[in-house]
Structures are given as C-alpha cells and as structure tokens.
Amino acid sequence: MGVKALLLDEKDTVATCMDGAGEGDVVTCIGTASRQVLCVQAIPPCHKIALKDMQENEDVYKYGQVIGCTTQVIREGALVWHENLVGFERDYETELL
C-alpha cells in the first residue's frame, strides 16, 4: 500500500508521515492536496517530512500556518523535527483580544 503522509493545505512545506518511512521509500501525501515525495532519510511515525528543499531561516508551513523556522538547510524528503526546526511560541490569550 505504500507510505502515506497527511497534507492539509496546498501551501504546506511539510507533511506528517502516518507510519514510518525508510530512505528510498516513496511517500504519498493525502488530504486536501495530493503529491509524492522520495524519502531521503528515515522518518519515524507521526513525524514531518520536507516537501521541498528549504534554506536556513525559512518559514515552515503546516496546516496552512507557519509553525516555525528552519535552523539549517533541509532537503526535500528529509525529516523535519526539533534538530532542524525551531517552533514559535504563541500567546493565545493575547491573540484572542
């Protein structure tokens, strides 16, 4: 059946692998947008895979929103996680005012 990843918005630069993916696997993104990406390193279950090459200090989109910024170059098909992404803290209380 192949490896599936959840992609919720067409402008997302990452998708969430539902199962683990290994180097060389083709990951099929499903959801509101559909595409495939070649996995270039192991991706654990429920982790993000890069859908494009990203430069250092580039915004990362998930759910159509910026979730953080890259801390290094990330190749398409690579794991995106705390080692190469810094998230943004949000003040939800202030945002509601």
Side-chain angles (χ1 to χ4, degrees), residues 17-93:
C17 287
M18 293 181 267
D19 295 316
E23 184 176 344
D25 286 345
V26 175
V27 176
T28 301
C29 298
I30 58 172
T32 57
S34 179
R35 61 168 296 180
Q36 291 186 326
V37 62
L38 179 65
C39 188
V40 297
Q41 72 181 108
I43 310 287
C46 301
H47 281 69
K48 296 176 289 297
I49 186 170
L51 300 179
K52 68 180 210 91
D53 290 335
M54 291 183 264
Q55 300 304 310
E56 185 176 354
N57 295 319
E58 187 171 334
D59 287 342
V60 176
Y61 286 82
K62 184 176 178 183
Y63 314 123
Q65 303 291 318
V66 176
I67 62 163
C69 182
T70 60
T71 59
Q72 63 191 49
V73 171
I74 302 173
R75 292 176 49 207
E76 179 178 315
L79 175 65
V80 179
W81 65 322
H82 69 274
E83 295 285 325
N84 56 16
L85 170 75
V86 61
F88 298 130
E89 290 191 28
R90 299 186 72 163
D91 183 351
Y92 293 100
E93 185 175 322

